[in-house]
Amino acid sequence: MNSPLENPVPGNSPLLSEPGAVAPFDGNPDQGVPWHFGDPFAEQRSASRSVAVFDRSHRAVVAVPGDDRLTWLHSLTSQHFTSLGESRGTEALILDVQGRVEHHAVVANVGGVVYLDTEAGRAGDLLGYLTRMVFWSKVEPRDASAELAVLTAVGPELAGLFERVGAPLPGEVGGVVVLAGGGFARRVPWPGHDAVDLVVPRASLVGWWRRLTDAGARPAGSWAFEALRVESLRARLGVDTDEKTIPHEANWIGAAVHLDKGCYRGQETVSKVHNVGRPPRRMLLLHLDGTREVQPETGDPVLVGDRVVGRVGSVALHHELGPVVLALVKRSVSPETELSVGAEERRVQASVDPDSVPPDTPGLGREAARNLGR
């Protein structure tokens, strides 16, 4: 069995050599893939109005083959794997004994293997944990990052794009189809309403990129992807979460946590908070006052006056919303409260997007809020 670090994600994507590609600045969490291709706002507009493709090949992929893969993962994670059919995808969490989030992965069950793609910096710990939990189960978890790479196509013109490249398009969210030449396409619910992950052989990454861009997809970088993710109110592990985050705070109930199952580590906390309906914090979208040419950074405080009431997660410049952040904010803070975010030298005023406020009982962010007439 491979060691957790035997096949690390390659340091730099070959797509950084594509025309117009700009590498991210030092400290950006998306090292190794293009940050943008010259016009990140136009890239966002293309993903919203036509179609764009994003290089996400810095994500790690863990493969779990074996006859017991579904029952084994069902016992370890927050997701109902025993009801996950062949050629289906979902999301899943691994929690600690207090119910705090340790790992998040996007999932595909296809061809007798469950694939878990996750943040590159977390792959070693994830695979290490899975390896320790094998015991007598018929599973062989391994690092497949050197074999497979992730691209994501986003936009309302996905169907035409896939038709032009001659690839099958999954028909519904959660659908997975096998691609000719290896890999698979997985329909995902974010960012936006039309998105597909293509998990392709790493040796074919450049070829797939050029097929998609030649067929009309606009090349786009992580700047645009992150802005669309923030707009979609989707948390990113290690950016929008800290060591205390529980699933209810980050809109993962329903998406990555199945409430009709038990007997996994952290399940007691999930059930208790769901029944009480009052997680200590909630993830909110904050609009920043753009009059100052400064931005907060991930980990900066959210304040009411001089009192710290939250933590800044993702920071984004959106083509329509302007400067925005996702922040974990104490549930006791009213959405109408005047906030500021950032360390002293980069502090700016902020206001809560009312559509991002979840109801007091567990729900999925803005959609649940709309359903309650907020």
Side-chain angles (χ1 to χ4, degrees):
M1 186 176 296
N2 293 347
S3 71
L5 300 178
E6 187 172 332
N7 294 319
V9 177
N12 285 315
S13 168
L15 299 178
L16 281 168
S17 299
E18 290 292 288
V22 175
F25 57 87
D26 290 343
N28 186 291
D30 292 306
Q31 295 297 315
V33 296
W35 188 32
H36 62 81
F37 287 84
D39 193 340
F41 294 124
E43 293 164 23
Q44 293 178 48
R45 288 192 292 271
S46 292
S48 299
R49 302 171 187 174
S50 54
V51 65
V53 59
F54 301 87
D55 178 11
R56 303 178 67 221
S57 61
H58 56 326
R59 285 182 65 78
V61 181
V62 173
V64 184
D67 293 343
D68 295 339
R69 65 192 184 282
L70 296 179
T71 54
W72 181 68
L73 287 167
H74 186 87
S75 70
L76 298 179
T77 75
S78 61
Q79 191 53 264
H80 204 302
F81 272 92
T82 56
S83 65
L84 186 67
E86 171 67 18
S87 298
R88 298 297 299 174
T90 186
E91 299 177 46
L93 304 176
I94 291 176
L95 310 178
D96 69 11
V97 293
Q98 283 81 35
R100 297 171 296 201
V101 179
E102 288 191 343
H103 298 286
H104 170 262
V106 186
V107 177
N109 178 37
V110 58
V113 181
V114 171
Y115 296 95
L116 311 169
D117 60 270
T118 188
E119 300 286 340
R122 301 298 183 104
D125 288 342
L126 173 59
L127 184 55
Y129 172 72
L130 295 177
T131 301
R132 291 192 300 273
M133 299 303 293
V134 169
F135 301 119
W136 55 82
S137 298
K138 296 177 181 178
V139 290
E140 297 182 3
R142 61 183 175 82
D143 191 334
S145 303
E147 306 165 30
L148 297 168
V150 181
L151 298 172
T152 300
V154 180
E157 296 180 7
L158 272 177
L161 175 69
F162 273 67
E163 183 178 356
R164 289 190 291 274
V165 299
L169 177 66
E172 60 181 359
V173 170
V176 178
V177 296
V178 175
L179 297 171
F184 56 87
R186 172 183 57 206
R187 194 75 176 246
V188 289
W190 59 274
H193 300 290
D194 300 283
V196 170
D197 291 334
L198 296 97
V199 183
V200 301
R202 191 166 289 274
S204 303
L205 175 64
V206 174
W208 267 104
W209 178 267
R210 291 178 180 168
R211 284 176 66 185
L212 293 165
T213 55
D214 288 348
R218 181 171 189 138
S222 60
W223 175 335
F225 186 89
E226 288 295 281
L228 297 173
R229 178 183 63 79
V230 167
E231 180 190 17
S232 299
L233 301 177
R234 297 291 180 157
R236 182 173 181 180
L237 186 72
V239 178
D240 301 300
T241 66
D242 58 19
E243 70 282 355
K244 299 181 293 183
T245 302
I246 61 175
H248 313 71
E249 297 176 329
N251 291 345
W252 274 325
I253 300 297
V257 177
H258 200 294
L259 293 171
D260 294 331
K261 63 161 287 188
C263 300
Y264 61 94
R265 192 173 70 175
Q267 185 266 338
E268 289 185 6
T269 297
V270 170
S271 179
K272 179 179 178 180
V273 176
H274 174 71
N275 290 328
V276 173
R278 295 177 181 270
R281 299 178 295 179
R282 50 192 177 187
M283 189 176 70
L284 301 174
L285 179 68
L286 305 183
H287 295 269
L288 306 184
D289 179 352
T291 58
R292 295 186 64 196
E293 293 183 359
V294 294
Q295 283 188 314
E297 296 179 358
T298 298
D300 277 354
V302 178
L303 304 106
V304 175
D306 293 326
R307 179 169 62 98
V308 176
V309 297
R311 172 193 180 276
V312 171
S314 298
V315 182
L317 287 174
H318 190 274
H319 70 109
E320 291 181 338
L321 301 177
V324 289
V325 303
L326 288 179
L328 287 175
V329 180
K330 289 182 178 180
R331 186 187 161 278
S332 59
V333 175
S334 169
E336 291 77 31
T337 303
E338 185 174 317
L339 302 173
S340 62
V341 298
E344 189 66 38
E345 68 276 7
R346 53 178 178 268
R347 188 166 299 174
V348 295
Q349 298 301 115
S351 60
V352 176
D353 185 321
D355 280 344
S356 74
V357 181
D360 288 343
T361 52
L364 297 178
R366 67 176 63 184
E367 290 303 321
R370 285 173 180 161
N371 291 339
L372 292 182
R374 287 180 177 249

